[in-house]
């Protein structure tokens, strides 16, 4: 019998494949070595292949699509309900095979190589930013042990580290000065590398037409716009703007029951990186609104009068996410309403 659906449990070296026929009979559930993976699918007739959206999933999805198969990526949390009992590669592959055939299942859009390359810029930058923050906190705490106080703020610590690397010596034993100098040099090197990533992202923002479209939205900068394009592409995998906002975790948690609607705080269940970028951008927009109220929209001004700044910031991030979806799917720049 011909294979119609296959569930693949991805791994680094040993992949588990579970195949069924049109009448749901199990044809095979076996492991494949990495070298056997593509030759195995090259011999099969085109069929539906399901995989969890995890590390290397987009690469293998592109490879299998090139062989003529239809590949669908499933969020791992949506596969878990179909796991019957226990935990093994064979059980996981069977669950994936079951989940991919469900008519209401949600899937992840397959990223292109260009999207993943752009996203690698963001991932590397985010990693270095976290390392810089860790190093700044460690340096401030270390010098505080000797009674040296560095004022709060990244610029203050960077300035202190720059002075140390240029030859300033604290009134400390030699070993203490050596440690502080080494940490300062490491901090300055990290800061320089982060600046390189930011300049590279700005260059990409100038070259990509979709990034330029998103930058017409108030508050959305080059970093946020390029991160959105790298993550969701043209946005057509979402049915509407609210679905995209829910994917980001910016919509209220729905705990309704018995005909009574009960909405909680935002779910925070989506892409944490994109959500934080949007919230930071809207925080900057709120500050601009307070310093230049004549430039702000009436909606945001009235919202700030009724709600705390943080609540307004998250609400604005949710609204901006919906605008982002509209701009991408319509392929036209943002145009504010005249009544706003």
């Amino acid at each position: 019998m011909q294979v119609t659906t296959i569930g693949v449990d991805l791994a680094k070296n040993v992949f588990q494949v579970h195949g069924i026929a049109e009448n749901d009979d199990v044809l095979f559930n076996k492991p494949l070595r990495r070298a056997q993976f593509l030759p195995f699918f090259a011999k099969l007739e085109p069929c539906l292949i399901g995989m969890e959206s995890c590390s290397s999933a987009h690469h293998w999805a592109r490879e299998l699509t090139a062989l003529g198969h239809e590949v669908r990526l499933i969020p791992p949390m949506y596969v878990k309900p179909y796991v019957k009992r226990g935990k093994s590669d064979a059980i996981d592959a069977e669950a994936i095979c079951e989940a991919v055939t469900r008519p209401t299942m949600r899937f992840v859009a397959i990223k292109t190589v260009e999207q993943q390359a752009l996203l690698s810029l963001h991932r590397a930058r985010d990693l270095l930013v976290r390392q810089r923050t860790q190093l700044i906190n460690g340096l401030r705490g270390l010098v505080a042990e000797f009674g040296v106080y560095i004022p709060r703020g990244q610029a203050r610590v960077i300035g202190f580290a720059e002075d140390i690397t240029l030859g300033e010596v604290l009134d400390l034993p030699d070993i203490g000065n050596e440690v502080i100098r080494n940490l300062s040099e490491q901090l300055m090197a990290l800061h320089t590398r982060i600046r390189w990533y930011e300049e590279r992202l700005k260059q990409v923002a100038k070259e990509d037409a979709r990034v330029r479209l998103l930058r017409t939205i108030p508050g959305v900068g080059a970093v946020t716009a390029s991160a959105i394009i790298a993550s969701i592409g043209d946005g057509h995998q979402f049915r509407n703007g609210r679905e995209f906002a829910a994917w980001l975790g910016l919509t209220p948690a729905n705990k309704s029951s018995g005909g009574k609607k009960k909405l909680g705080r935002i779910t925070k269940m989506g892409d944490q990186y994109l959500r934080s970028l949007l919230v930071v951008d809207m925080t900057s927009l709120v500050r601009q609104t307070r310093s230049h109220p004549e430039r702000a929209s009436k909606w945001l001004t009235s919202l700030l009068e009724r709600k705390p700044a943080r609540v307004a910031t998250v609400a604005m991030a949710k609204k901006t996410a919906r605008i982002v979806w509209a701009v991408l799917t319509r392929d036209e720049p943002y145009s504010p309403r005249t009544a706003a």
Side-chain angles (χ1 to χ4, degrees), residues 128-308:
L128 294 185
V129 167
R130 286 185 280 114
Q131 290 179 350
R132 182 179 62 182
T133 302
Q134 182 183 20
L135 196 56
I136 284 175
N137 292 336
L139 183 60
R140 290 184 79 246
L142 184 63
V143 298
E145 295 289 338
F146 298 102
V148 180
Y149 172 70
I150 305 177
R152 293 180 60 182
Q154 175 186 306
R156 302 290 184 87
V157 184
I158 295 296
F160 171 85
E162 187 176 9
D163 292 339
I164 294 296
T165 56
L166 291 176
E168 181 177 338
V169 179
L170 302 178
D171 185 18
L172 300 175
D174 291 341
I175 188 171
N177 276 311
E178 290 174 1
V179 170
I180 293 173
R181 186 182 304 109
N182 285 334
L183 289 178
S184 298
E185 291 173 354
Q186 185 177 353
L187 177 58
M188 294 306 299
L190 269 178
H191 186 64
T192 302
R193 183 58 59 183
I194 291 171
R195 294 291 298 272
W196 179 88
Y197 280 107
E198 292 174 349
E199 291 299 323
R200 191 68 181 86
L201 285 172
K202 290 179 182 178
Q203 182 181 346
V204 172
K206 294 178 181 179
E207 299 170 354
D208 195 311
R210 293 175 299 178
V211 174
R212 293 198 299 269
L213 278 179
L214 292 184
R215 294 195 65 185
T216 61
I217 303 173
V220 177
V223 175
T224 303
S226 59
I228 291 173
I229 295 301
S231 299
I232 70 170
D234 56 12
H236 285 289
Q237 64 268 40
F238 302 102
R239 291 176 296 179
N240 50 51
R242 191 185 186 282
E243 190 172 281
F244 174 52
W247 180 74
L248 290 174
L250 289 170
T251 53
N254 192 342
K255 300 180 180 179
S256 305
S257 179
K260 297 181 180 179
K261 292 185 178 181
K262 185 178 180 181
L263 301 179
R265 299 180 177 181
I266 61 172
T267 61
K268 297 184 181 180
M269 293 183 65
D271 192 307
Q272 181 179 356
Y273 181 66
L274 288 183
R275 185 173 64 251
S276 63
L277 287 178
L278 278 176
V279 171
V280 169
D281 284 348
M282 295 307 108
T283 301
S284 176
L285 189 62
V286 166
R287 291 176 179 173
Q288 295 177 20
T289 300
R290 288 179 169 176
S291 56
H292 301 283
E294 69 279 359
R295 304 178 186 175
S297 66
K298 293 181 180 179
W299 180 83
L300 181 55
T301 303
S302 62
L303 183 64
L304 288 172
E305 292 174 354
R306 294 179 284 110
K307 299 292 183 179

Side-chain angles (χ1 to χ4, degrees), residues 48-52 70-74 100-102 107-108 110:
L48 174 63
I49 301 175
M51 297 186 294
E52 287 184 330
E70 180 184 357
V71 183
R72 296 178 183 176
L73 302 182
I74 313 172
V100 76
T101 60
R102 297 301 90 200
F107 302 103
V108 178
I110 301 173

Side-chain angles (χ1 to χ4, degrees), residues 50-54 57 72-82 95-96 99 105-109 247 269:
M51 297 186 294
E52 287 184 330
S53 178
C54 56
R72 296 178 183 176
L73 302 182
I74 313 172
M77 64 181 298
Y78 293 158
V79 176
K80 190 174 182 179
Y82 296 93
I96 295 170
M105 181 56 62
R106 297 177 181 177
F107 302 103
V108 178
W247 180 74
M269 293 183 65

Side-chain angles (χ1 to χ4, degrees), residues 4-54:
T4 58
T5 308
I6 299 177
V8 179
D9 184 42
L10 294 174
K12 295 183 179 67
N13 297 312
V14 180
F15 305 82
Q16 190 77 23
V17 291
H18 178 92
I20 60 174
E22 188 174 0
N23 59 358
D24 294 335
D25 286 346
V26 178
L27 301 181
F28 54 80
N29 191 333
K30 62 180 182 179
L32 294 175
R33 303 293 298 181
R34 188 182 183 91
Q36 301 171 325
F37 188 68
L38 287 180
F40 172 80
F41 284 96
K43 298 176 183 178
L44 297 178
E45 294 294 326
C47 60
L48 174 63
I49 301 175
M51 297 186 294
E52 287 184 330
S53 178
C54 56

